[in-house]
Amino acid sequence: MRGATWGWRTVQGLYVAVVAVLAVLGAVTGTSLPYLLAVAVTLPFGIAALVLVYGGYALLKGVGGLWASTTNADGDDAAWLSAGSATLNVVLLIAAALANVLLLEYLRRRSPRTARR
C-alpha cells in the first residue's frame, strides 16, 4: 500500500516545481498573473518575497544605474534591468516555496501525532 501513495518528499518537490514554473512563466511572458499566483501559492512566505521583489528591483535600478542606463530610448527598461529583475523574481519565489517546505517540515516534526512515530 505504501508504494501506491506519493511520498512526502515527492509532494514537496512538486510544490516547489509548480512555484518555479509559475515564476518562470511570469518572467518569460512579462505578465503579472503567474507571479501573483506564485505569491498566493507561497503564502505566508510569499508576502516577504513580494516585498523583496519590489525592494530588489529598486536596488537593482539604483545600484546598476550608477554604471549603465536604466532605460532605452523608447522609455522601456534596459535589457539588463529586465533580465535581472526577472531572475530576482524567480529566485525569491522559489526561496519562498523552499521556506514554506522547511516551515511545514518543522511543524510536522513538532506535532505530537508525528513525534510518536
Side-chain angles (χ1 to χ4, degrees):
M1 178 84 175
R2 181 152 169 84
T5 61
W6 288 15
W8 181 243
R9 296 283 182 213
T10 304
V11 172
Q12 291 172 336
L14 286 174
Y15 166 70
V16 174
V18 165
V19 171
V21 166
L22 286 170
V24 169
L25 187 62
V28 169
T29 62
T31 58
S32 61
L33 182 61
Y35 283 137
L36 292 175
L37 289 173
V39 168
V41 171
T42 58
L43 290 174
F45 285 103
I47 295 169
L50 187 62
V51 170
L52 290 173
V53 160
Y54 284 102
Y57 177 81
L59 187 64
L60 276 173
K61 191 171 185 173
V63 173
L66 295 173
W67 292 280
S69 175
T70 58
T71 58
N72 293 329
D74 61 359
D76 288 339
D77 283 346
W80 69 266
L81 182 57
S82 296
S85 176
T87 303
L88 180 68
N89 294 351
V90 170
V91 168
L92 288 174
L93 288 168
I94 292 172
L98 290 172
N100 281 334
V101 166
L102 291 175
L103 176 65
L104 285 175
E105 190 65 28
Y106 172 75
L107 293 174
R108 189 170 162 252
R109 290 182 190 269
R110 283 193 62 222
S111 170
R113 188 181 71 151
T114 57
R116 289 179 276 179
R117 292 185 188 172

